[in-house]
């Protein structure tokens, strides 16, 4: 008995037509997907574990980061590794990763990975730039209120048995100005939340962006610093942002203003901030990130900010909510699965971004060739010469820096043809990694 498919024609809009996906497509897999090994560190969400196990992979899950020696030993035999912010994937570590295909950063930042070296080895890196935006924005709103009422100090005094009911230096946030430095996904959400509480919002970004709500853009960082009652930082870690808030910038801020840093630990000169807090020029600060952070929970945290007045110190928990970690787990684990199974590199951080439409489920003779190679002239000519005797259904190629990525769906007749294509592409001098997906 042959199954038949009844197709009904329903009128749809042109916009909706782009969102219709053929459900009768073939799910691609590496030929030996059961041998794919995944190493997850730093207590990554169980949802990510479930997604990767459902894909058929072997998953090793650790609650904490590993020391360098153990990490080097573990990474030798895995095809993908998932980390958060504590694990450092340096050139030294990655040089031992002979089977590694992809890295999942289950967080926003990727500065803990040597991205250029990973790309040179054909290792695709993914992150989650959006999923924890709401969690960070909500934390900042809470800190604005806590700082304006000196609640951190009052709570500590009560725990020490001291009753200190005061109103001097305590304010409502309604009508105050919030200055946002870095108007990306977190910055825009923070601005919307702040306006809903009656705050005025001014922001600065190096890119020309559209203001959301009643917020307005500033022409310079100094304009934000000089006008804002609260300054909140939301910038990446780059050479340009290192110590972007130092003694000079703190002196430009209004006397009695507040500084919040939930971005990267290198953005603020911690010693200069401690001095500004002790002098009273800065009325309070909330810091969630630090230049050097402990690798594990427990005692031993040291900072000049400890015991500074009206200073909230938190252990890099801006995105540490159940909701954010679940969404991050879904986003990054799905990206890892798609890259391993179908070669899709869309939204990669360090890699050319390529994808091909799915292969119909009825097509059982087409396989997908994916190849990472050095971005030099003549490589595509070599690949196309190799594929010249076969029916190439579709192909795509893109490059980023010194690395290029090629994908092609090719019709073959038998295993010998598969082996021939694989061996010839792999043997190219410029080839870094070649994979066959079926």
């Amino acid at each position: 008995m042959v199954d038949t498919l009844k197709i009904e024609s329903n009128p749809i809009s042109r916009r909706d037509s782009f969102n219709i996906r053929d459900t009768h497509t073939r799910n691609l897999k590496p030929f030996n997907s059961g041998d794919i090994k995944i190493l997850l560190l730093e207590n990554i969400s169980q949802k990510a574990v479930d997604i990767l196990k459902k894909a058929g992979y072997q998953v090793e899950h650790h609650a904490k980061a590993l020391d360098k020696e153990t990490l080097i030993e573990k990474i030798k035999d895995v095809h993908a590794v998932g980390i958060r912010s504590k694990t450092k994937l340096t050139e030294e570590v990655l040089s031992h990763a002979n089977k590694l295909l992809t890295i999942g950063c289950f967080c926003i930042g990727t500065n803990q990975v040597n991205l250029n070296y990973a790309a040179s080895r054909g290792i695709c890196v993914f992150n989650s730039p959006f999923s924890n935006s709401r969690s960070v924005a909500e934390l900042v709103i809470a800190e604005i209120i806590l700082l304006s009422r000196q609640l951190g100090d009052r709570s500590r005094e009560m725990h020490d048995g001291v009753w200190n009911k005061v109103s001097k230096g305590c304010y409502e946030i309604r009508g105050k100005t919030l200055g946002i430095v870095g108007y990306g996904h977190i910055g825009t959400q923070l601005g919307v939340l702040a306006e809903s509480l009656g705050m005025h919002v001014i922001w600065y970004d190096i890119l020309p962006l559209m203001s959301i709500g009643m917020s307005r853009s500033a022409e310079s960082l100094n304009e934000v610093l000089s006008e804002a009652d609260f300054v909140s930082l939301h910038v990446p870690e780059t050479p340009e942002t290192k110590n972007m808030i130092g003694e000079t910038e703190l002196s430009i801020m209004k006397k009695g203003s507040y500084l919040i840093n939930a971005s990267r630990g290198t953005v603020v000169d911690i010693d200069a901030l401690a001095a500004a807090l002790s002098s009273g020029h800065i009325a309070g600060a909330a810091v969630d990130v630090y230049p050097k952070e402990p690798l594990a929970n427990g005692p031993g945290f040291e900072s000049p900010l400890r015991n500074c007045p009206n200073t909230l110190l938190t252990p890099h928990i801006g995105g540490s909510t159940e909701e954010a970690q679940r969404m991050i787990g879904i986003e990054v684990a799905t990206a890892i699965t798609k890259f391993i199974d179908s070669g899709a590199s869309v939204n990669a951080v360090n890699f050319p971004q390529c994808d091909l439409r799915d292969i119909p489920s009825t097509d059982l003779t087409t396989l997908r060739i994916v190849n990472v190679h050095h971005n030099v002239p003549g490589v595509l000519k070599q690949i196309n010469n190799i594929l010249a005797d076969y029916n190439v259904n579709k192909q795509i190629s893109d490059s980023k820096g010194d690395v290029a990525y090629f994908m092609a769906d090719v019709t073959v007749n038998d295993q010998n043809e598969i082996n021939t294509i694989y061996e010839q592409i792999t043997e190219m001098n410029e080839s870094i990694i070649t994979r066959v997906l079926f």
Side-chain angles (χ1 to χ4, degrees):
M1 179 178 180
V2 179
D3 293 332
T4 58
L5 176 65
K6 182 180 180 181
I7 300 177
E8 297 182 0
S9 178
N10 295 318
I12 58 173
S13 69
R14 185 171 183 272
R15 177 185 296 272
D16 289 340
S17 68
F18 286 99
N19 298 322
I20 292 180
R21 181 178 180 275
D22 180 11
T23 58
H24 297 277
T25 56
R26 210 172 78 216
N27 291 323
L28 291 172
K29 287 279 186 181
F31 276 99
N32 53 348
S33 62
D35 295 332
I36 298 292
K37 296 181 180 180
I38 314 291
L39 176 65
L40 299 181
L41 306 176
E42 302 182 62
N43 201 30
I44 286 168
S45 168
Q46 183 61 41
K47 187 63 178 178
V49 178
D50 295 341
I51 290 172
L52 296 168
K53 285 185 175 180
K54 186 177 180 180
Y57 310 146
Q58 301 176 40
V59 180
E60 183 178 344
H61 190 207
H62 293 262
K64 297 180 180 180
L66 302 178
D67 61 79
K68 187 172 73 172
E69 290 72 23
T70 305
L71 178 60
I72 287 175
E73 190 60 33
K74 290 280 188 183
I75 209 169
K76 291 178 180 178
D77 196 39
V78 299
H79 300 87
V81 60
I83 63 173
R84 293 176 70 183
S85 57
K86 292 179 181 178
T87 301
K88 308 301 180 186
L89 296 180
T90 62
E91 179 176 339
E92 178 187 2
V93 173
L94 292 176
S95 67
H96 296 272
N98 298 321
K99 298 181 180 180
L100 197 63
L101 299 173
T102 180
I103 297 168
C105 295
F106 287 74
C107 51
I108 293 178
T110 56
N111 55 294
Q112 68 275 41
V113 180
N114 189 324
L115 297 176
N116 291 332
Y117 182 74
S120 73
R121 304 258 306 191
I123 302 168
C124 187
V125 180
F126 297 98
N127 71 334
S128 179
F130 318 121
S131 296
N132 69 356
S133 301
R134 177 71 183 200
S135 296
V136 177
E138 286 187 3
L139 177 67
V140 173
I141 288 293
E143 290 172 335
I144 290 172
I145 297 172
L146 289 169
L147 291 173
S148 66
R149 298 295 296 274
Q150 301 178 11
L151 289 180
D153 287 357
R154 297 295 85 78
S155 177
R156 180 164 52 186
E157 290 163 354
M158 291 291 283
H159 281 284
D160 291 339
V162 178
W163 183 277
N164 185 21
K165 183 179 179 180
V166 297
S167 59
K168 183 179 180 180
C170 298
Y171 305 96
E172 295 180 353
I173 66 170
R174 178 180 53 179
K176 304 302 186 296
T177 298
L178 169 63
I180 300 173
V181 181
Y183 200 60
H185 300 287
I186 296 172
T188 50
Q189 287 210 33
L190 174 60
V192 171
L193 292 175
E195 284 191 345
S196 72
L197 294 171
M199 299 187 77
H200 306 295
V201 176
I202 181 174
W203 58 269
Y204 173 71
D205 199 289
I206 60 173
L207 298 176
L209 300 167
M210 183 181 70
S211 294
I212 305 295
M214 298 297 293
S215 66
R216 63 181 178 86
S217 63
E219 294 184 359
S220 67
L221 172 63
N222 287 351
E223 183 181 346
V224 172
L225 298 179
S226 62
E227 289 189 26
D229 300 298
F230 297 85
V231 174
S232 188
L233 308 174
H234 302 282
V235 297
E237 180 177 318
T238 66
E240 293 74 23
T241 62
K242 184 175 182 179
N243 288 334
M244 70 179 296
I245 303 297
E247 182 178 358
T248 300
E249 290 74 22
L250 291 166
S251 67
I252 295 173
M253 292 177 62
K254 296 164 63 173
K255 180 175 176 57
S257 59
Y258 307 85
L259 179 69
I260 300 170
N261 184 20
S263 59
R264 286 291 174 260
T266 57
V267 171
V268 176
D269 183 334
I270 296 296
D271 291 319
L273 176 57
L277 288 163
S278 298
S279 71
H281 178 72
I282 300 297
V287 178
D288 188 49
V289 288
Y290 309 88
K292 293 183 179 180
E293 299 181 357
L295 292 177
N297 293 341
F301 172 71
E302 296 292 338
S303 173
L305 297 174
R306 289 180 59 190
N307 299 315
C308 284
N310 197 24
T311 302
L312 304 173
L313 304 180
T314 49
H316 203 150
I317 57 172
S320 296
T321 63
E322 295 286 351
E323 294 88 350
Q325 293 308 308
R326 182 179 183 276
M327 291 303 299
I328 289 171
I330 294 172
E331 183 178 359
V332 180
T334 300
I336 289 173
T337 301
K338 286 184 176 180
F339 181 73
I340 293 175
D341 287 358
S342 70
S345 61
V346 177
N347 296 326
V349 177
N350 68 328
F351 217 68
Q353 300 196 22
C354 295
D355 195 8
L356 289 175
R357 67 181 183 273
D358 294 335
I359 300 172
S361 59
T362 54
D363 183 354
L364 301 180
T365 60
T366 297
L367 56 79
R368 179 163 296 173
I369 302 290
V370 296
N371 172 260
V372 187
H373 57 265
H374 297 291
N375 184 24
V376 295
V379 178
L380 288 181
K381 180 180 179 181
Q382 293 182 65
I383 294 176
N384 284 317
N385 283 339
I386 293 170
L387 300 178
D389 294 331
Y390 304 92
N391 180 28
V392 178
N393 298 318
K394 50 188 177 291
Q395 68 180 44
I396 187 172
S397 181
D398 196 7
S399 63
K400 185 172 184 178
D402 295 330
V403 174
Y405 190 44
F406 173 86
M407 302 174 66
D409 287 351
V410 183
T411 299
V412 294
N413 295 313
D414 55 42
Q415 182 67 43
N416 290 332
E417 292 184 346
I418 297 173
N419 294 338
T420 299
I421 294 172
Y422 175 80
E423 290 170 1
Q424 290 181 345
I425 294 179
T426 300
E427 288 171 359
M428 294 189 312
N429 292 331
E430 300 85 356
S431 185
I432 300 172
I433 289 179
T434 302
R435 295 194 294 136
V436 176
L437 309 172
F438 185 76

